[in-house]
């Protein structure tokens, strides 16, 4: 048993230099975390602006088994403990039998870019936001959609890709009730935003609309 654990640890350490390289390139804006799926603990972390440490639980960050079939999950939105918005992406790390053994999560703190965007918007005299009930001209529907999903994430306290099936169903129900899923290409955008397949999204919609 000890030999197996030691072997798994050695397999994980192969990815540590990759985490170091990504964090070094984008420091101080990117944190890289390797989650051990066997122990459900953080195995390695670089530039830890989330204040997490090696050995802490990974339970809140773990994806379900169906999602872990994908090699790359995201990008998706998260919120750091300090309230900063994060743009995140996760790579599924596999053992020699192609079974998921760990996740490498790359978290990009976009707060500095958001601040720059606010300054540019101020200089260009751009409106702060769209009217809530404005018609969906051009790309306005995308902004309305992101605003609706972001609001739900804030209320639910969890990023869309990490939601359990019940919370995911509630979000899709709200988007459908608001008419946001009736816009062409919107279902594909929503499915990608939630890190689920379009077939999965349509499955939720069918059950919601049949009620």
């Amino acid at each position: 048993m000890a030999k197996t654990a030691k072997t798994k640890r050695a397999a994980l350490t192969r990815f540590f230099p990759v985490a170091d390289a990504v964090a070094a390139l984008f420091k101080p804006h990117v944190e890289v975390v390797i989650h051990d799926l066997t122990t459900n603990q953080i195995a390695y972390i670089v530039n830890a602006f989330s204040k997490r440490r090696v050995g802490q639980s990974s339970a809140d960050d773990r994806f379900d088994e169906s999602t872990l079939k994908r090699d790359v999950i995201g990008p998706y939105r998260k919120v750091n403990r300090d309230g900063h918005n994060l743009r995140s992406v996760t790579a599924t790390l596999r053992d020699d039998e192609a079974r998921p053994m760990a996740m490498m999560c790359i978290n990009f703190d976009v707060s500095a870019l958001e601040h720059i965007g606010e300054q540019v918007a101020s200089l260009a005299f751009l409106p702060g936001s769209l009217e809530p009930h404005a018609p969906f001209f051009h790309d306005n529907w995308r902004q309305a959609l992101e605003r609706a999903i972001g609001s739900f994430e804030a209320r639910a306290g969890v990023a869309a890709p990490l939601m359990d099936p019940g919370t995911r169903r509630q979000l899709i129900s709200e988007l459908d009730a608001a008419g946001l899923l009736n816009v062409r290409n919107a279902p594909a955008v929503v499915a990608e935003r939630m890190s689920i397949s379009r077939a999965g999204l349509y499955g939720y919609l069918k059950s919601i609309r049949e009620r």
Side-chain angles (χ1 to χ4, degrees):
M1 182 68 71
K3 183 177 181 181
T4 301
K6 186 176 181 180
T7 301
K8 289 182 178 179
R9 175 68 181 178
L12 277 183
T13 59
R14 294 180 299 179
F15 298 99
F16 292 178
V18 179
D20 289 336
V22 173
L25 181 61
F26 296 102
K27 190 176 182 179
H29 304 293
V30 167
E31 169 189 81
V32 185
V33 190
I34 295 180
H35 300 280
D36 187 335
L37 294 177
T38 303
T39 62
N40 270 333
Q41 293 180 343
I42 294 175
Y44 195 67
I45 186 167
V46 192
N47 190 32
F49 53 59
S50 64
K51 307 303 181 184
R52 291 174 293 177
R53 300 185 303 276
V54 169
Q56 288 186 330
S57 173
S58 297
D60 292 339
D61 296 280
R62 179 159 183 162
F63 292 98
D64 57 40
E65 296 302 320
S66 62
T67 303
L68 288 173
K69 292 179 181 178
R70 300 166 57 182
D71 292 329
V72 178
I73 305 164
Y76 51 90
R77 179 179 176 270
K78 291 175 61 177
V79 180
N80 194 28
R81 297 178 181 182
D82 59 8
H84 287 184
N85 286 325
L86 306 178
R87 180 176 173 85
S88 303
V89 67
T90 293
T92 304
L93 309 182
R94 306 183 185 279
D95 60 20
D96 293 338
E97 284 72 45
R99 295 172 300 195
M101 67 174 183
M103 304 183 308
M104 180 184 292
C105 298
I106 302 172
N107 302 314
F108 177 25
D109 185 338
V110 298
S111 58
L113 294 179
E114 290 177 328
H115 180 67
I116 293 172
E118 291 170 359
Q119 296 301 312
V120 172
S122 175
L123 290 171
F125 303 101
L126 296 176
S129 64
L130 297 172
E131 291 298 324
H133 303 292
F136 298 146
F137 293 124
H138 304 296
D139 264 356
N140 287 7
W141 66 269
R142 289 179 179 267
Q143 298 177 47
L145 183 62
E146 181 56 39
R147 187 167 56 244
I149 295 175
S151 174
F152 187 93
E153 288 174 322
R155 284 184 279 121
V158 61
L162 303 178
M163 291 176 183
D164 58 48
T167 307
R168 188 181 294 158
R169 189 178 190 279
Q170 185 180 351
L171 170 56
I172 293 171
S173 180
E174 288 192 13
L175 297 177
D176 186 44
L180 290 168
L181 294 176
N182 295 330
V183 181
R184 184 182 179 185
N185 297 327
V189 173
V190 172
E192 182 179 3
R193 179 70 166 74
M194 300 179 73
S195 292
I196 61 176
S197 66
R198 274 181 280 185
L201 175 66
Y202 285 123
Y204 280 108
L205 272 177
K206 181 179 179 181
S207 66
I208 290 168
R209 291 172 178 177
E210 287 179 348
R211 289 183 59 185

